[in-house]
Amino acid sequence: MSCRTPPIFFLVIASALTACSPTPRATSTPSPVTAKPASSPVPLSWHPSRQPSLLRYTLQDSSVLSISSDSTTKQIPFITTAFLQLMISSIGDSFTFSGRSDSVLVHSELQKTTPIDTMLRIFGTISRQGAITQVQSPANSLCKIGIEPAIARITSLLVKIPETISINSRWTDSSTTIICHGKTALRQTVIRSYHVIADTIWGEHSALRVEDSTLLTISSVEGDSTNHIFATGNGLTATVLLLDANTGALLESSSHGSVLLTISTTRGTLPFRQFSFTRIRQR
């Protein structure tokens, strides 16, 4: 069924897909992040432990949103730039963290350079290995439950790691989050599979190069039908990360993939597919 959809709806969907950046098939390995090979003797294993710190990141995302109807397919490019801050403080055997999104800029042919989700904050606790608990956000979301997309971006900066890591170490991590996209709440389930492939040097940091293959499932939240919008989706993202070998902190990442999302409204059903390339770098 073909239906006419206002431009602002495309921005909402684009933010939905961008925030769900774990993304159906990555066809090749992401471009390598900038780091030099390690010159010192390689340890047999590493024992990363979270440390109090103030970390600032720049996130750049380049995406193409493909929208299909009965007769046409429209492609809309989006460029998103976000400036994120993460503060980690120690408390006993665990840590508290506070995250902030200073600004998010979205540039597309629909609306030129649109600032959104500015100065959003999130608070929570994490273990020394990066397991997140007790997440809170004082921001007022437009939907009844859930957090804003920019806030979800901040939690992705915290990578859960084992107590001991060596080359070829593998582990998995999973999470389920409800994210607000306009007045619509979507449930996002993410399963990440990590593989340590090499050690390296990033600036003055000893670092580990880690591959991350992420599976994503998106669904509507039961009982949240304020806008009579329902969604289902899935995706796959391939990411190369550089993690600080001593603290486990994210230094840099490069990822690409795609998400397929089907939106059903009272006016019909629309399939959306987004292909994206995202780069995050500590600054």
Side-chain angles (χ1 to χ4, degrees), residues 78-128:
F78 285 86
I79 298 175
T80 303
T81 301
F83 300 99
L84 309 174
Q85 178 175 296
L86 186 65
M87 177 178 288
I88 299 175
S89 305
S90 61
I91 175 171
D93 292 332
S94 61
F95 294 85
T96 61
F97 75 90
S98 61
R100 188 177 76 190
S101 172
D102 290 328
S103 63
V104 179
L105 301 176
V106 177
H107 182 89
S108 74
E109 65 182 41
L110 298 176
Q111 293 189 17
K112 305 298 183 183
T113 312
T114 305
I116 59 174
D117 293 337
T118 57
M119 292 300 292
L120 293 178
R121 298 175 183 271
I122 188 173
F123 305 92
T125 60
I126 55 173
S127 68
R128 290 189 179 275

Side-chain angles (χ1 to χ4, degrees), residues 200-223:
T200 186
I201 298 295
W202 189 91
E204 299 179 352
H205 300 268
S206 297
L208 298 173
R209 187 184 299 269
V210 181
E211 291 182 343
D212 167 20
S213 178
T214 300
L215 297 173
L216 169 70
T217 303
I218 304 170
S219 61
S220 296
V221 176
E222 298 82 355

Side-chain angles (χ1 to χ4, degrees), residues 2-283:
S2 176
C3 58
R4 184 177 182 82
T5 309
I8 190 62
F9 182 72
F10 294 150
L11 284 176
V12 171
I13 296 304
S15 69
L17 292 171
T18 300
C20 303
S21 68
T23 58
R25 181 169 300 276
T27 57
S28 60
T29 303
S31 301
V33 288
T34 55
K36 300 178 180 179
S39 56
S40 57
V42 179
L44 295 178
S45 61
W46 295 264
H47 306 276
S49 181
R50 202 72 54 177
Q51 298 295 328
S53 54
L54 176 61
L55 307 173
R56 294 182 174 90
Y57 295 91
T58 300
L59 179 150
Q60 294 178 311
D61 180 272
S62 178
S63 302
V64 176
L65 180 64
S66 178
I67 307 165
S68 300
S69 63
D70 290 342
S71 57
T72 62
T73 298
K74 183 177 179 62
Q75 292 189 335
I76 304 172
F78 285 86
I79 298 175
T80 303
T81 301
F83 300 99
L84 309 174
Q85 178 175 296
L86 186 65
M87 177 178 288
I88 299 175
S89 305
S90 61
I91 175 171
D93 292 332
S94 61
F95 294 85
T96 61
F97 75 90
S98 61
R100 188 177 76 190
S101 172
D102 290 328
S103 63
V104 179
L105 301 176
V106 177
H107 182 89
S108 74
E109 65 182 41
L110 298 176
Q111 293 189 17
K112 305 298 183 183
T113 312
T114 305
I116 59 174
D117 293 337
T118 57
M119 292 300 292
L120 293 178
R121 298 175 183 271
I122 188 173
F123 305 92
T125 60
I126 55 173
S127 68
R128 290 189 179 275
Q129 273 59 56
I132 303 174
T133 59
Q134 302 178 8
V135 175
Q136 298 180 3
S137 175
N140 295 321
S141 300
L142 294 178
C143 61
K144 297 178 181 179
I145 55 177
I147 60 177
E148 294 294 330
I151 292 298
R153 284 289 200 185
I154 295 174
T155 61
S156 69
L157 302 175
L158 294 166
V159 180
K160 185 178 179 180
I161 52 176
E163 292 184 4
T164 301
I165 295 178
S166 58
I167 303 300
N168 287 325
S169 288
R170 297 176 184 267
W171 70 98
T172 60
D173 184 28
S174 62
S175 64
T176 298
T177 308
I178 296 177
I179 303 177
C180 285
H181 304 288
K183 295 182 179 181
T184 302
L186 297 181
R187 178 179 286 104
Q188 172 184 305
T189 299
V190 174
I191 301 175
R192 301 180 185 273
S193 299
Y194 297 100
H195 178 206
V196 180
I197 57 175
D199 72 311
T200 186
I201 298 295
W202 189 91
E204 299 179 352
H205 300 268
S206 297
L208 298 173
R209 187 184 299 269
V210 181
E211 291 182 343
D212 167 20
S213 178
T214 300
L215 297 173
L216 169 70
T217 303
I218 304 170
S219 61
S220 296
V221 176
E222 298 82 355
D224 182 65
S225 57
T226 305
N227 283 340
H228 303 287
I229 295 176
F230 302 92
T232 58
N234 57 80
L236 173 65
T237 293
T239 305
V240 174
L241 308 100
L242 288 182
L243 303 180
D244 190 303
N246 296 313
T247 67
L250 176 65
L251 301 171
E252 186 175 354
S253 69
S254 176
S255 64
H256 73 272
S258 63
V259 174
L260 177 63
L261 184 68
T262 300
I263 302 292
S264 299
T265 71
T266 55
R267 294 185 293 177
T269 299
L270 284 176
F272 295 81
R273 184 183 292 272
Q274 178 168 324
F275 300 92
S276 61
F277 176 87
T278 303
R279 183 161 185 169
I280 301 173
R281 184 178 176 86
Q282 196 177 119
R283 54 188 172 90

